[in-house]
Amino acid sequence: MLSRNAQGVYWLGRYLERADLLCRMMKEQVGALVDRPVEEINFAWRRLFACMQYTPAGGLFNVASDNFTQADSFTLAGETTFEEGNPNSLTACIRMGRENARQMRNCISAEMWTSLNLSYLKFLDSDIVSIWRRSPEAFFDETSRDLRSFFGIAHATMYRDEAWLFLQLGRAVERAQGSVSLLLAQVAEETKLETGLEYGLESLLAIFEARETYRRRFGFDVASERVRELLVTDPRLPNSIRQSTDAAFENLNKMGPAPDGDFEMPLRIAGRTCSLVRYEWPDVDDRRKLLKEISEGTRQIHASVEKGFFHNSN
Amino acid sequence: MKLSAYELDNSVYDEMFLPSGEARSHCRHLRKALERMSGDEATEIQESVTRSFRNEGIVFTVYGKSESEEQIIPVDCLPRIITSEEWRIIEAGLSQRLTALNHFLDDIYNDAKIVSDGVVPKDMIFDCPQFRPQMKGFSPPEKIWVAICGTDIIRTNDGFLVLEDNLRVPSGVSYMLANRKAIKSSLRRLFRTCKVREIEHYGIELTRTLKELAPAGSPNPSIALLTPGVFNSAFYEHVFLAHEIGATLVEGQDLVVRDGFLFMRTTLGLERIDVLYRRLDDDFLDPTEFRRDSVLGVPGILDACKRGNVSIANSPGTGVADDKGVYAYVPDIIRYYLGESAILMNVETRLCRRPLDLEYTLDNLKDLVVKRVGESGGYGMLIGPQSTQAEREDYAKAVRENPAEFVSQPVISLSRAPCIVGRKIEPRHVDLRPFVLSGKQTRIVPGAFCRVALRRGSLVVNSSQGGGGKDLWVLED
């Protein structure tokens, strides 16, 4: 497979996975505007922007006023969703994903292209005013569903060649990075709260789509440590960090060695990152530090894949 | 829908109706279908086809001042129908024409006998900007310089005429196939009743052709399609064709020449390419031989080609044979190499390099179409009847200064075919571009990209200037 195509398909997976995470976060966020306390809404906005590693143009507020929060939330939602200048906005991710798909149309199935193009065209017809007037939750829910349909169609129609592996790898790396980043943002914001306060755990479970699983495993009492354990280490939870790092490792393993440099570097780094999640997590006290190490591991997987497969000097 | 209001003009050939207003016998099923169809149904079909093109991203990209815009080539849902007998004439004529042009190209880059025998003027060939001296002494496999050709054909009351040969990187074949797919599913019953010949095997024929042109000793040649990239207006077509022929779609940056062989950079290392179907103009193909500032091409690719290590389709240098001046000589070229008269005639063309033709052209500017020999796509020409006195004076000055740069032709009224316009059926001018493939044998699928001038009364069918497409149905015997 052409290195350029491999890179295009890999980034296709990354952009759409990023868009999906953003949809899930935004769905929870706009839902919270209806009935959650202002402090909790502000907490979740700060967590969201920390996760995206983006500072909104007008800065982040910290005023506990309902009117202010509601008005500002509209602006922030617009910036997160439709702002072209924000490289991680939903519109930027979907546009870039679609652009990668357009360029790599010969590497993906026709059904995948049509599905994504339809979602893109539908998205183009939307704006913050219209979705706010109708139901912003429904908009983010539908967009997320469209993105997942794309991956479902990919699963059903895509030939299981290298392109498939790079698509899955891109998804896995992005999901791992996004999830770790979100958990780190949660931990960082928690440390700023007064003792005894806990915000954002329910929405965190919802974003990871782990609410029902949590209840089945731990009951209705939502405790921070259990939430983290579930989201990081559960091998059967589709959005857990373990699932994502394992998936990255498996896809790299199927690809074989990269043609340049240290042949097995990407695979080795992925293996090391997997073992941090599997074997270090239960025994380590400083979970924040370990999350940072996992985050660095996912960053290195990405860098070694770029170097080994996409920019090799052959 | 009512067909009684359909306007007929007996000076122009109508593809569906006889001058009496009766439908031509091969169009009787179409007439019945139209009579059964309501205005609402017609509009619905049009909208549904347009929507499907948009959803599937069957577009060409137009780059404006600020950003790119993806546009659909509008499709008219009514097919243009021709008989198998008419197609046989087109097929034979195109095959003859391309065979002769391939002989011509091989000759002028080698012995140039046609020039020394005085059939074609020497300066017309060797001074043509599209003549590539770098290709002198080269002969491609099977002596096929042009493997893929798209020839523009029009019909008048006197029959079919060739308007132009496109021998460099002809485009439009993806629209031929996309139009067929869309119209076939929209007019299912009519399609079945009419017994239309298939065109869907174009990709297979193209693959066979390209494989036949592979360098000797490549039993299972690797084929790649070279695109200038996503910013090219025909990028959709490049992707589509790569898919159809199972080739890797490459850009210049993906390719490298090592030891006289062409390779592509893959995730597993370098992989050799045997045949390159290039959709990139000569100028940009090899910066060491042509334009030095090209970043789209591959340094050394021409050398690899000349060594016989990679076949490039179409070969560099073919543009000299579709020059508008050389066009006028194609009937002579056919006679010279094949000893036959041309089956498909040219539009009468006067070469301003000849004193009598120059005088005639200058005296009749307001009734003629005057073209620059090196231009294409409808640019750089004067359409006499639509021009102002000032425009004609400016143009006449340019012609006088450099007569060899110009040719003139009478204004030809292209035939018309019925189109859906709103809720009505109206006639519009059409041409057609069939695609000819030349390898060890010549192959032509029975279809064409049929272009339509969608503006009422317009003769301009170019998609960049308001033209659209139609499906061409060639009927079985």
Side-chain angles (χ1 to χ4, degrees), chain A residues 25-74:
Chain A
M25 288 196 290
M26 285 302 297
K27 184 185 157 199
E28 283 308 306
Q29 188 65 6
V30 295
L33 294 177
V34 181
D35 59 1
R36 304 307 301 160
V38 170
E39 293 78 8
E40 193 172 327
I41 294 168
N42 292 353
F43 174 93
W45 272 125
R46 287 195 298 274
R47 182 181 68 188
L48 187 148
F49 284 107
C51 170
M52 287 172 72
Q53 295 171 19
Y54 174 77
T55 308
L60 271 169
F61 54 81
N62 200 8
V63 180
S65 139
D66 197 49
N67 284 343
F68 191 84
T69 297
Q70 291 293 337
D72 228 18
S73 291
F74 172 82

Short mmCIF file of all heavy atoms in Angstrom, two decimals, chain A residues 25-74:
data_model
loop_
_atom_site.label_atom_id
_atom_site.label_comp_id
_atom_site.label_asym_id
_atom_site.label_seq_id
_atom_site.Cartn_x
_atom_site.Cartn_y
_atom_site.Cartn_z
N MET A 25 -19.24 14.05 23.99
CA MET A 25 -19.03 15.03 25.06
C MET A 25 -20.06 16.16 24.96
O MET A 25 -20.63 16.60 25.94
CB MET A 25 -17.61 15.62 24.97
CG MET A 25 -16.53 14.64 25.40
SD MET A 25 -14.93 15.42 25.76
CE MET A 25 -14.38 15.91 24.16
N MET A 26 -20.28 16.62 23.73
CA MET A 26 -21.21 17.74 23.54
C MET A 26 -22.65 17.33 23.85
O MET A 26 -23.43 18.12 24.38
CB MET A 26 -21.11 18.28 22.11
CG MET A 26 -19.87 19.10 21.84
SD MET A 26 -19.72 20.53 22.96
CE MET A 26 -21.16 21.47 22.49
N LYS A 27 -22.97 16.11 23.54
CA LYS A 27 -24.34 15.64 23.82
C LYS A 27 -24.59 15.70 25.33
O LYS A 27 -25.64 16.17 25.79
CB LYS A 27 -24.51 14.21 23.30
CG LYS A 27 -25.91 13.67 23.46
CD LYS A 27 -25.97 12.22 23.03
CE LYS A 27 -27.15 11.54 23.70
NZ LYS A 27 -27.02 10.09 23.70
N GLU A 28 -23.64 15.23 26.09
CA GLU A 28 -23.77 15.28 27.55
C GLU A 28 -23.81 16.73 28.03
O GLU A 28 -24.56 17.09 28.92
CB GLU A 28 -22.60 14.55 28.20
CG GLU A 28 -22.72 13.06 28.15
CD GLU A 28 -24.06 12.56 28.68
OE1 GLU A 28 -24.42 12.93 29.83
OE2 GLU A 28 -24.76 11.84 27.95
N GLN A 29 -22.96 17.56 27.41
CA GLN A 29 -22.84 18.94 27.87
C GLN A 29 -24.12 19.73 27.64
O GLN A 29 -24.60 20.44 28.52
CB GLN A 29 -21.65 19.60 27.14
CG GLN A 29 -21.27 20.96 27.63
CD GLN A 29 -20.74 20.92 29.08
OE1 GLN A 29 -20.55 19.86 29.66
NE2 GLN A 29 -20.56 22.09 29.65
N VAL A 30 -24.67 19.61 26.43
CA VAL A 30 -25.89 20.38 26.15
C VAL A 30 -27.07 19.80 26.94
O VAL A 30 -28.00 20.53 27.31
CB VAL A 30 -26.21 20.47 24.65
CG1 VAL A 30 -25.16 21.26 23.91
CG2 VAL A 30 -26.40 19.10 24.01
N GLY A 31 -27.01 18.51 27.22
CA GLY A 31 -28.05 17.90 28.05
C GLY A 31 -27.99 18.47 29.46
O GLY A 31 -29.03 18.74 30.09
N ALA A 32 -26.78 18.69 29.95
CA ALA A 32 -26.60 19.20 31.31
C ALA A 32 -27.16 20.61 31.47
O ALA A 32 -27.57 21.01 32.57
CB ALA A 32 -25.11 19.20 31.67
N LEU A 33 -27.21 21.36 30.36
CA LEU A 33 -27.69 22.74 30.44
C LEU A 33 -29.15 22.81 30.88
O LEU A 33 -29.62 23.83 31.37
CB LEU A 33 -27.57 23.43 29.07
CG LEU A 33 -26.15 23.67 28.54
CD1 LEU A 33 -26.18 24.27 27.14
CD2 LEU A 33 -25.38 24.58 29.49
N VAL A 34 -29.86 21.71 30.70
CA VAL A 34 -31.29 21.70 31.01
C VAL A 34 -31.53 21.59 32.52
O VAL A 34 -32.37 22.30 33.07
CB VAL A 34 -32.00 20.54 30.28
CG1 VAL A 34 -33.50 20.54 30.57
CG2 VAL A 34 -31.74 20.61 28.79
N ASP A 35 -30.75 20.74 33.19
CA ASP A 35 -31.14 20.48 34.58
C ASP A 35 -29.98 20.35 35.57
O ASP A 35 -30.20 20.02 36.72
CB ASP A 35 -31.99 19.19 34.64
CG ASP A 35 -31.24 17.98 34.10
OD1 ASP A 35 -30.06 18.15 33.69
OD2 ASP A 35 -31.82 16.89 34.08
N ARG A 36 -28.75 20.62 35.15
CA ARG A 36 -27.64 20.47 36.09
C ARG A 36 -27.27 21.81 36.70
O ARG A 36 -27.49 22.87 36.09
CB ARG A 36 -26.40 19.86 35.40
CG ARG A 36 -26.63 18.53 34.70
CD ARG A 36 -27.26 17.48 35.57
NE ARG A 36 -26.48 17.17 36.76
CZ ARG A 36 -26.96 16.58 37.85
NH1 ARG A 36 -28.25 16.28 37.93
NH2 ARG A 36 -26.19 16.33 38.88
N PRO A 37 -26.66 21.78 37.88
CA PRO A 37 -26.25 23.04 38.51
C PRO A 37 -25.16 23.74 37.69
O PRO A 37 -24.39 23.08 36.98
CB PRO A 37 -25.67 22.60 39.86
CG PRO A 37 -25.92 21.17 40.01
CD PRO A 37 -26.38 20.61 38.72
N VAL A 38 -25.13 25.05 37.81
CA VAL A 38 -24.20 25.86 37.02
C VAL A 38 -22.75 25.42 37.25
O VAL A 38 -21.96 25.31 36.31
CB VAL A 38 -24.37 27.35 37.41
CG1 VAL A 38 -23.26 28.19 36.82
CG2 VAL A 38 -25.71 27.85 36.93
N GLU A 39 -22.40 25.13 38.50
CA GLU A 39 -21.01 24.75 38.81
C GLU A 39 -20.62 23.49 38.04
O GLU A 39 -19.50 23.37 37.55
CB GLU A 39 -20.83 24.48 40.32
CG GLU A 39 -20.98 25.70 41.20
CD GLU A 39 -22.44 26.09 41.42
OE1 GLU A 39 -23.35 25.32 41.00
OE2 GLU A 39 -22.70 27.17 41.96
N GLU A 40 -21.55 22.57 37.96
CA GLU A 40 -21.25 21.32 37.27
C GLU A 40 -21.11 21.53 35.76
O GLU A 40 -20.24 20.94 35.11
CB GLU A 40 -22.36 20.30 37.54
CG GLU A 40 -21.97 18.90 37.13
CD GLU A 40 -22.99 17.85 37.57
OE1 GLU A 40 -23.61 18.04 38.65
OE2 GLU A 40 -23.18 16.87 36.84
N ILE A 41 -21.94 22.44 35.24
CA ILE A 41 -21.85 22.76 33.80
C ILE A 41 -20.49 23.39 33.51
O ILE A 41 -19.80 23.01 32.55
CB ILE A 41 -22.99 23.72 33.39
CG1 ILE A 41 -24.35 23.02 33.53
CG2 ILE A 41 -22.79 24.21 31.96
CD1 ILE A 41 -25.53 23.96 33.43
N ASN A 42 -20.11 24.35 34.34
CA ASN A 42 -18.82 25.02 34.12
C ASN A 42 -17.66 24.03 34.24
O ASN A 42 -16.70 24.09 33.47
CB ASN A 42 -18.64 26.16 35.14
CG ASN A 42 -19.62 27.28 34.87
OD1 ASN A 42 -20.33 27.26 33.87
ND2 ASN A 42 -19.68 28.25 35.77
N PHE A 43 -17.79 23.15 35.22
CA PHE A 43 -16.77 22.11 35.40
C PHE A 43 -16.60 21.30 34.11
O PHE A 43 -15.50 21.07 33.63
CB PHE A 43 -17.19 21.19 36.57
CG PHE A 43 -16.30 20.00 36.76
CD1 PHE A 43 -15.23 20.06 37.66
CD2 PHE A 43 -16.52 18.80 36.09
CE1 PHE A 43 -14.40 18.94 37.86
CE2 PHE A 43 -15.72 17.69 36.28
CZ PHE A 43 -14.65 17.76 37.17
N ALA A 44 -17.73 20.91 33.55
CA ALA A 44 -17.68 20.05 32.35
C ALA A 44 -17.14 20.81 31.13
O ALA A 44 -16.45 20.23 30.29
CB ALA A 44 -19.07 19.49 32.05
N TRP A 45 -17.44 22.11 31.07
CA TRP A 45 -16.86 22.88 29.95
C TRP A 45 -15.33 22.92 30.07
O TRP A 45 -14.61 22.75 29.10
CB TRP A 45 -17.38 24.33 29.95
CG TRP A 45 -18.66 24.55 29.21
CD1 TRP A 45 -19.80 25.11 29.69
CD2 TRP A 45 -18.93 24.24 27.84
NE1 TRP A 45 -20.78 25.17 28.72
CE2 TRP A 45 -20.26 24.63 27.57
CE3 TRP A 45 -18.19 23.64 26.82
CZ2 TRP A 45 -20.86 24.46 26.31
CZ3 TRP A 45 -18.79 23.47 25.56
CH2 TRP A 45 -20.11 23.88 25.33
N ARG A 46 -14.87 23.18 31.29
CA ARG A 46 -13.42 23.26 31.48
C ARG A 46 -12.77 21.91 31.14
O ARG A 46 -11.72 21.85 30.51
CB ARG A 46 -13.09 23.67 32.92
CG ARG A 46 -13.38 25.15 33.22
CD ARG A 46 -12.71 25.58 34.51
NE ARG A 46 -13.21 24.84 35.66
CZ ARG A 46 -14.29 25.16 36.37
NH1 ARG A 46 -15.00 26.24 36.04
NH2 ARG A 46 -14.67 24.44 37.39
N ARG A 47 -13.44 20.84 31.55
CA ARG A 47 -12.91 19.50 31.26
C ARG A 47 -12.86 19.25 29.75
O ARG A 47 -11.88 18.72 29.22
CB ARG A 47 -13.82 18.46 31.93
CG ARG A 47 -13.36 17.04 31.74
CD ARG A 47 -14.32 16.05 32.39
NE ARG A 47 -15.60 16.02 31.69
CZ ARG A 47 -16.67 15.36 32.12
NH1 ARG A 47 -16.64 14.71 33.28
NH2 ARG A 47 -17.78 15.36 31.42
N LEU A 48 -13.92 19.68 29.09
CA LEU A 48 -14.00 19.46 27.64
C LEU A 48 -12.87 20.19 26.90
O LEU A 48 -12.18 19.62 26.05
CB LEU A 48 -15.36 19.93 27.12
CG LEU A 48 -15.70 19.64 25.67
CD1 LEU A 48 -17.21 19.41 25.54
CD2 LEU A 48 -15.31 20.77 24.74
N PHE A 49 -12.66 21.45 27.30
CA PHE A 49 -11.62 22.21 26.60
C PHE A 49 -10.21 21.72 26.96
O PHE A 49 -9.32 21.74 26.12
CB PHE A 49 -11.78 23.72 26.84
CG PHE A 49 -12.91 24.29 26.03
CD1 PHE A 49 -14.11 24.66 26.63
CD2 PHE A 49 -12.77 24.43 24.66
CE1 PHE A 49 -15.15 25.16 25.86
CE2 PHE A 49 -13.81 24.94 23.89
CZ PHE A 49 -15.01 25.30 24.49
N ALA A 50 -10.07 21.27 28.20
CA ALA A 50 -8.76 20.72 28.57
C ALA A 50 -8.50 19.43 27.77
O ALA A 50 -7.39 19.19 27.30
CB ALA A 50 -8.73 20.42 30.06
N CYS A 51 -9.53 18.63 27.60
CA CYS A 51 -9.41 17.40 26.83
C CYS A 51 -9.04 17.71 25.38
O CYS A 51 -8.21 17.06 24.76
CB CYS A 51 -10.71 16.61 26.90
SG CYS A 51 -10.81 15.23 25.78
N MET A 52 -9.67 18.75 24.82
CA MET A 52 -9.40 19.13 23.43
C MET A 52 -8.09 19.91 23.29
O MET A 52 -7.65 20.17 22.18
CB MET A 52 -10.52 20.04 22.90
CG MET A 52 -11.83 19.32 22.62
SD MET A 52 -13.12 20.53 22.24
CE MET A 52 -12.60 21.07 20.62
N GLN A 53 -7.53 20.30 24.42
CA GLN A 53 -6.32 21.12 24.43
C GLN A 53 -6.51 22.36 23.58
O GLN A 53 -5.72 22.67 22.69
CB GLN A 53 -5.12 20.31 23.96
CG GLN A 53 -4.81 19.18 24.92
CD GLN A 53 -3.77 18.21 24.41
OE1 GLN A 53 -3.01 18.52 23.52
NE2 GLN A 53 -3.74 17.04 25.00
N TYR A 54 -7.62 23.04 23.87
CA TYR A 54 -7.99 24.22 23.09
C TYR A 54 -8.59 25.25 24.04
O TYR A 54 -9.38 24.92 24.92
CB TYR A 54 -9.03 23.81 22.02
CG TYR A 54 -9.61 24.95 21.25
CD1 TYR A 54 -8.86 25.56 20.24
CD2 TYR A 54 -10.89 25.42 21.50
CE1 TYR A 54 -9.40 26.62 19.52
CE2 TYR A 54 -11.43 26.46 20.79
CZ TYR A 54 -10.68 27.06 19.78
OH TYR A 54 -11.20 28.10 19.08
N THR A 55 -8.18 26.49 23.86
CA THR A 55 -8.77 27.56 24.68
C THR A 55 -9.71 28.37 23.80
O THR A 55 -9.29 28.85 22.74
CB THR A 55 -7.67 28.50 25.22
OG1 THR A 55 -6.69 27.69 25.85
CG2 THR A 55 -8.24 29.50 26.21
N PRO A 56 -10.96 28.51 24.21
CA PRO A 56 -11.90 29.25 23.37
C PRO A 56 -11.48 30.71 23.22
O PRO A 56 -10.79 31.25 24.08
CB PRO A 56 -13.23 29.13 24.10
CG PRO A 56 -12.92 28.65 25.45
CD PRO A 56 -11.59 27.97 25.42
N ALA A 57 -11.93 31.31 22.12
CA ALA A 57 -11.48 32.67 21.79
C ALA A 57 -11.74 33.65 22.93
O ALA A 57 -10.92 34.50 23.23
CB ALA A 57 -12.19 33.13 20.52
N GLY A 58 -12.88 33.50 23.58
CA GLY A 58 -13.22 34.45 24.65
C GLY A 58 -12.72 34.01 26.02
O GLY A 58 -13.11 34.58 27.04
N GLY A 59 -11.90 32.99 26.08
CA GLY A 59 -11.42 32.47 27.35
C GLY A 59 -12.48 31.65 28.05
O GLY A 59 -13.61 31.51 27.55
N LEU A 60 -12.10 31.08 29.20
CA LEU A 60 -13.06 30.24 29.93
C LEU A 60 -13.63 31.00 31.12
O LEU A 60 -12.89 31.66 31.86
CB LEU A 60 -12.38 28.97 30.40
CG LEU A 60 -12.45 27.81 29.41
CD1 LEU A 60 -11.53 26.70 29.85
CD2 LEU A 60 -13.87 27.30 29.27
N PHE A 61 -14.92 30.91 31.32
CA PHE A 61 -15.57 31.67 32.39
C PHE A 61 -15.52 30.90 33.70
O PHE A 61 -15.29 29.72 33.74
CB PHE A 61 -17.03 31.94 32.02
CG PHE A 61 -17.75 30.69 31.66
CD1 PHE A 61 -18.26 29.86 32.65
CD2 PHE A 61 -17.90 30.30 30.34
CE1 PHE A 61 -18.92 28.70 32.34
CE2 PHE A 61 -18.56 29.13 30.02
CZ PHE A 61 -19.07 28.33 31.01
N ASN A 62 -15.77 31.62 34.74
CA ASN A 62 -15.87 30.95 36.03
C ASN A 62 -16.88 31.69 36.91
O ASN A 62 -16.65 31.95 38.06
CB ASN A 62 -14.49 30.90 36.70
CG ASN A 62 -14.46 29.82 37.76
OD1 ASN A 62 -15.40 29.03 37.88
ND2 ASN A 62 -13.40 29.79 38.55
N VAL A 63 -17.95 32.10 36.25
CA VAL A 63 -18.97 32.86 36.97
C VAL A 63 -20.17 31.96 37.23
O VAL A 63 -20.70 31.37 36.30
CB VAL A 63 -19.44 34.09 36.14
CG1 VAL A 63 -20.50 34.87 36.88
CG2 VAL A 63 -18.25 34.95 35.80
N ALA A 64 -20.54 31.83 38.45
CA ALA A 64 -21.64 30.92 38.78
C ALA A 64 -22.97 31.62 38.64
O ALA A 64 -23.68 31.88 39.61
CB ALA A 64 -21.44 30.38 40.19
N SER A 65 -23.31 31.97 37.42
CA SER A 65 -24.60 32.63 37.19
C SER A 65 -25.32 31.87 36.09
O SER A 65 -24.72 31.57 35.05
CB SER A 65 -24.36 34.09 36.77
OG SER A 65 -25.25 34.45 35.74
N ASP A 66 -26.56 31.57 36.31
CA ASP A 66 -27.29 30.74 35.37
C ASP A 66 -27.41 31.40 34.00
O ASP A 66 -27.12 30.78 32.97
CB ASP A 66 -28.68 30.43 35.91
CG ASP A 66 -29.27 29.24 35.16
OD1 ASP A 66 -28.57 28.23 35.04
OD2 ASP A 66 -30.41 29.35 34.69
N ASN A 67 -27.79 32.69 33.98
CA ASN A 67 -27.95 33.38 32.69
C ASN A 67 -26.64 33.42 31.93
O ASN A 67 -26.59 33.19 30.73
CB ASN A 67 -28.45 34.82 32.93
CG ASN A 67 -29.91 34.82 33.27
OD1 ASN A 67 -30.61 33.83 33.03
ND2 ASN A 67 -30.39 35.91 33.86
N PHE A 68 -25.60 33.75 32.66
CA PHE A 68 -24.29 33.87 32.03
C PHE A 68 -23.86 32.53 31.45
O PHE A 68 -23.41 32.43 30.31
CB PHE A 68 -23.29 34.36 33.09
CG PHE A 68 -21.97 34.76 32.49
CD1 PHE A 68 -21.78 36.02 31.97
CD2 PHE A 68 -20.92 33.85 32.44
CE1 PHE A 68 -20.57 36.38 31.41
CE2 PHE A 68 -19.70 34.20 31.88
CZ PHE A 68 -19.53 35.48 31.37
N THR A 69 -24.03 31.49 32.21
CA THR A 69 -23.62 30.16 31.77
C THR A 69 -24.40 29.71 30.54
O THR A 69 -23.84 29.16 29.59
CB THR A 69 -23.80 29.14 32.91
OG1 THR A 69 -22.93 29.52 33.96
CG2 THR A 69 -23.47 27.73 32.47
N GLN A 70 -25.70 29.98 30.58
CA GLN A 70 -26.54 29.56 29.43
C GLN A 70 -26.11 30.29 28.16
O GLN A 70 -25.96 29.69 27.10
CB GLN A 70 -28.02 29.84 29.72
CG GLN A 70 -28.64 28.96 30.80
CD GLN A 70 -28.75 27.49 30.37
OE1 GLN A 70 -28.78 27.17 29.20
NE2 GLN A 70 -28.79 26.59 31.36
N ALA A 71 -25.90 31.61 28.28
CA ALA A 71 -25.54 32.40 27.10
C ALA A 71 -24.15 32.00 26.60
O ALA A 71 -23.93 31.82 25.40
CB ALA A 71 -25.56 33.89 27.44
N ASP A 72 -23.24 31.85 27.55
CA ASP A 72 -21.89 31.50 27.15
C ASP A 72 -21.82 30.09 26.56
O ASP A 72 -21.02 29.82 25.67
CB ASP A 72 -20.97 31.60 28.37
CG ASP A 72 -19.72 32.39 28.03
OD1 ASP A 72 -19.75 33.10 27.01
OD2 ASP A 72 -18.74 32.28 28.76
N SER A 73 -22.66 29.23 27.07
CA SER A 73 -22.66 27.85 26.56
C SER A 73 -23.03 27.81 25.08
O SER A 73 -22.50 27.01 24.31
CB SER A 73 -23.63 26.98 27.35
OG SER A 73 -23.14 26.80 28.65
N PHE A 74 -23.94 28.70 24.70
CA PHE A 74 -24.33 28.77 23.29
C PHE A 74 -23.11 29.13 22.44
O PHE A 74 -22.83 28.51 21.42
CB PHE A 74 -25.44 29.83 23.14
CG PHE A 74 -25.78 30.14 21.71
CD1 PHE A 74 -26.64 29.32 20.99
CD2 PHE A 74 -25.26 31.26 21.08
CE1 PHE A 74 -26.95 29.61 19.67
CE2 PHE A 74 -25.56 31.55 19.77
CZ PHE A 74 -26.41 30.73 19.06
#
